[in-house]
């Protein structure tokens, strides 16, 4: 993606629904039953959805697709989905439902079992992603990590999220890198709307980000995780053979399955509440990486 492209900081309800794979009517219903908090409204008095709103909406859709009732989803958010009691209570009620509808809900049962096994929402991600992360130490993955993978899976599919998981594998197994990552995240968050794009802190944090990403990539290569990424592509290709001539004709004619969108369309509908200084910091970090790449 070109570094000058900036996703919106907030989106309207129609774009939020399209990104999450639902409808504006369903989102309004989530508001009515207290499942999704009412977002702020713009000058035209229309709802505007930001990053945190979209993250919650995506998890709601994942849980609903797994067969969890909306009342149980609301309770899970209230008690903390990733708390031991919250998961146990929610899944106990769901498994009772699945026992009554086993023939029809086989796919949902698989997702529920994965949630119980993983003890977190990681079980709601695709098998391709979950299998990549299942051997990590307990508690080493943060909810923010899962949120990021959720968004990536929605935009770029399971393969894109599985490749991105390499980053979180390294952070989960290298405490020093995780500490550096946290420190730089805090520094970037401090570049809020009160900071000018030409403030010296912007360039300083960009250098720190570039240095960290270089160190992270070095660990990935030294640990052989980059080779695991190559194996992921081979495994994906084996599971998804090249399209036939008819399939290619469908793609070239612009026809897609209902509810799907291109990665570019999806990126434009996922809001990120980043300030101009934060975007400038990202651009500078990308420029530093390009300047120091072997090709350059």
């Amino acid at each position: 993606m070109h570094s000058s492209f900036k996703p919106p900081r907030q989106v309207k309800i129609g774009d939020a629904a399209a990104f999450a794979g639902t409808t504006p009517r369903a989102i309004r219903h989530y508001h009515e039953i207290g499942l999704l908090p009412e977002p702020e409204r713009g000058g035209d008095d229309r709802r505007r959805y930001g990053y945190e709103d979209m993250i919650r909406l995506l998890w709601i859709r994942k849980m609903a697709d797994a067969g969890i009732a909306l009342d149980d989803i609301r309770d899970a958010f209230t008690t903390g989905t990733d708390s031991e009691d919250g998961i146990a209570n929610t899944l106990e009620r769901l498994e009772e439902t699945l026992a009554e509808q086993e023939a029809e809900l086989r796919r949902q049962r698989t997702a529920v079992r994965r949630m119980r096994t993983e003890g977190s929402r990681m079980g709601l991600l695709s098998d391709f992603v979950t299998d990549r992360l299942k051997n990590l130490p307990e508690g080493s993955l943060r909810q923010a990590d899962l949120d990021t993978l959720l968004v990536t899976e929605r935009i770029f599919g399971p393969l894109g999220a599985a490749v991105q998981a390499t980053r979180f594998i390294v952070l989960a197994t290298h405490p020093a890198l995780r500490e550096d990552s946290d420190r730089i995240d805090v520094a970037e968050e401090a570049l809020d709307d009160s900071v000018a794009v030409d403030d010296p802190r912007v360039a300083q944090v960009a250098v720190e980000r570039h240095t960290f990403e270089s160190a992270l990539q070095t660990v990935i290569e030294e640990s052989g995780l980059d080779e695991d990424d190559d194996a992921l592509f081979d495994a994906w290709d084996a599971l998804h053979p090249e399209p036939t001539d008819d399939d290619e004709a469908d793609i070239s004619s612009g026809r897609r399955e209902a509810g799907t969108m291109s990665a570019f369309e999806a990126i434009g509908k996922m809001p990120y509440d980043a300030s101009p200084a934060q975007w400038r910091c990202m651009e500078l970090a990308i420029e530093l990486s390009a300047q120091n790449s072997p090709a350059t």
Side-chain angles (χ1 to χ4, degrees):
M1 186 197 316
H2 195 279
S3 62
S4 64
F5 176 80
K6 295 181 177 63
R9 298 180 73 169
Q10 294 179 317
V11 296
K12 297 179 181 178
I13 191 170
D15 286 339
F19 184 84
T22 185
T23 65
R25 182 178 179 180
I27 293 178
R28 294 188 187 99
H29 180 60
Y30 298 156
H31 292 317
E32 291 171 359
I33 65 175
L35 182 55
L36 184 67
E38 279 278 355
E40 65 179 76
R41 293 177 180 263
D44 55 2
D45 199 35
R46 293 185 177 180
R47 296 180 178 91
R48 293 291 189 274
Y49 296 82
Y51 179 81
E52 295 299 333
D53 300 315
M54 292 297 292
I55 289 296
R56 180 154 180 151
L57 182 56
L58 286 171
W59 283 123
I60 290 170
R61 292 305 309 152
K62 281 284 187 180
M63 293 179 187
D65 288 345
I68 301 176
L70 294 184
D71 287 344
D72 290 337
I73 295 175
R74 182 179 56 214
D75 293 343
F77 275 114
T78 301
T79 60
T81 302
D82 297 311
S83 68
E84 184 176 347
D85 290 340
I87 291 174
N89 293 336
T90 299
L91 296 182
E92 183 177 354
R93 289 193 296 269
L94 177 58
E95 286 185 337
E96 291 175 357
T97 300
L98 294 178
E100 299 172 357
Q101 306 177 42
E102 186 171 357
E104 298 179 8
L105 301 177
R106 195 166 296 171
R107 179 178 61 84
Q108 290 91 330
R109 183 184 291 275
T110 299
V112 170
R113 284 174 175 167
R114 286 217 316 265
M115 279 188 73
R116 183 180 293 282
T117 299
E118 304 304 337
S120 76
R121 297 180 209 168
M122 186 173 80
L124 290 173
L125 298 174
S126 68
D127 291 339
F128 212 66
V129 181
T130 302
D131 289 346
R132 187 96 163 95
L133 301 167
K134 63 184 180 182
N135 293 324
L136 290 178
E138 184 177 355
S140 59
L141 274 178
R142 301 178 178 181
Q143 185 57 49
D145 302 335
L146 296 177
D147 293 344
T148 299
L149 290 169
L150 174 71
V151 173
T152 300
E153 183 177 294
R154 175 58 178 152
I155 296 176
F156 297 106
L159 177 59
V163 171
Q164 187 187 45
T166 297
R167 178 186 192 88
F168 300 119
I169 292 173
V170 172
L171 293 178
T173 53
H174 292 74
L177 278 177
R178 172 67 87 174
E179 184 177 341
D180 287 342
S181 177
D182 290 344
R183 176 179 55 80
I184 296 170
D185 286 346
V186 170
E188 288 176 338
E189 289 173 3
L191 302 177
D192 56 23
D193 287 313
S194 68
V195 179
V197 294
D198 56 354
D199 188 295
R201 288 174 290 176
V202 175
Q204 178 184 344
V205 177
V207 171
E208 294 176 1
R209 170 59 68 185
H210 166 66
T211 301
F212 167 76
E213 295 296 336
S214 298
L216 181 70
Q217 185 59 37
T218 297
V219 172
I220 289 174
E221 294 172 357
E222 291 178 348
S223 61
L225 285 170
D226 56 334
E227 297 176 2
D228 291 345
D229 287 346
D230 292 338
L232 279 176
F233 284 96
D234 293 338
W236 184 263
D237 289 342
L239 292 171
H240 303 82
E242 290 292 326
T244 64
D245 292 341
D246 290 340
D247 292 334
E248 291 176 349
D250 287 344
I251 294 173
S252 64
S253 65
R255 293 195 296 271
R256 300 192 187 96
E257 294 181 4
T260 65
M261 64 183 77
S262 70
F264 187 80
E265 289 173 327
I267 291 171
K269 296 181 186 300
M270 178 62 201
Y272 291 90
D273 189 18
S275 69
Q278 289 166 344
W279 281 115
R280 182 54 181 157
C281 179
M282 181 190 69
E283 291 172 347
L284 290 174
I286 292 174
E287 291 172 6
L288 287 170
S289 297
Q291 292 170 7
N292 289 278
S293 66
T296 303

